[in-house]
Amino acid sequence: MESADNKPLLAVISQGCAANFGDGEKIARIFADAYRVVFGMPKDATSKSGAEKPDAFVLNVCTVKGNAGALKLLREALSTAPDAKLFITGCAPRDFREEVAKITDKVVFTNLKDLAMDRHAPNGARDDVFLLTSLRGAQATKQSTYTLRESPLVGIVNIEEGCLDACAYCSTRLVKGRLHSYPATNIIQQVKRLVSDGCVEIQLTGQDCGCYGFDTDTNLAELVQQILTEVPGNYKMRLGMGNPRHMLRYLDSLLECFNDERVYKFIHLPVQSGSDSVLKAMNRKHNVEDYIELANAFNSKYPLFTLSTDLIVGFPGESEQDFQDTLDVLQKTRPTVCNITRFVARPNTPAFNMQGAVSDEIKHVRSAALAEAFQKIASENNTRWIGQTETVVIEKPGYRKGTYIARNAAYRPVAISSETPLQPGERFTVTITDAEPFALIGSFKNN
């Protein structure tokens, strides 16, 4: 068997959502026998020193907010290792592929399904696609192994692919297609292996976890309860994004899941706009009251719950009143996490040709106002934690020496200082002494 040091170096670099990172880890496991796999750009590879450069890249891209970030990653890979093989997977719609072709003809586009099924490159690809042709030997031994992960403590479990919606602005659905839920037995087996391998956090993820199981006569709440019943251990589970209209169908049973301390009191419900007319133009299929009902249910049952949402400003036809309605729903539901995006028209989506375009100047003004309002709410929400005693799990070192970032039961980041080095995965009891819009500040209970 070839020694590890003699294997070619493969860099798997993922962008975007947890589902994409989960797919990136699966790709890494497929290649682990034949290649030395690293996640991200290898340290010092971009320098002009004699540092080893990758022999190949798998760029697992995200284009949800436009192509710029994915194209930047491609250019970085090209400049870092000009002779490396280049493969792109992830959310790569047609317009992105056309832009890639203007930069280089070296790229081979593929996807996780083709890789896992040991297919060869699509028509027109060159014969030097050595990654794809090496799969037969690697797949049998590595596809069921879970030890190769971006974080040894976090297990990402993709529970479904695709969705049941057709949002007017979304290009992801053009790539991922309609909902396909993975069998609960397979998911539970993955979670068992990850927990036994030392994971303290399990992330259930997909394009829309809210409709998990609708194609197999089950739902997300039933899956979570099965996992909690069949997988003992000292771990916590984070539930992935779910569209409001789907989660309303099983709200009561979903709320019950959070009674178990192994489930982070965190939910991601993207409302996108506070205006029903804009939601209709977006083809979102829920209305503002649906989202408010969900938000109130979680916030009232669990007073320190972390509600996360997404908002798009500047969608075609958005009036000043529509924007004020969005500010209003922000105030009514008071999320602690909010992803604010200025609308970008994606080719081949219905929104691309919509009338009533909002100027970039107005988009910037509105997004700034929304960000200011949100940060005030987030700061007030986090202030409610001051004085609470919490058990937290160390996640990673902080930016400043001697500082660390941990997570509490509501998946809030907690910054703590320690003269003694702390290790990811360690658990400590801390008191929350201060709060910022995006983090809590904690100190050890006995300090």
Side-chain angles (χ1 to χ4, degrees), residues 146-160:
Y146 293 85
T147 55
L148 188 57
R149 300 185 296 273
E150 295 228 14
S151 167
L153 301 172
V154 178
I156 303 175
V157 180
N158 295 60
I159 65 173
E160 57 86 32

Side-chain angles (χ1 to χ4, degrees), residues 301-312:
K301 187 172 178 64
Y302 306 103
L304 291 174
F305 197 87
T306 297
L307 173 67
S308 172
T309 195
D310 300 345
L311 291 168
I312 296 173

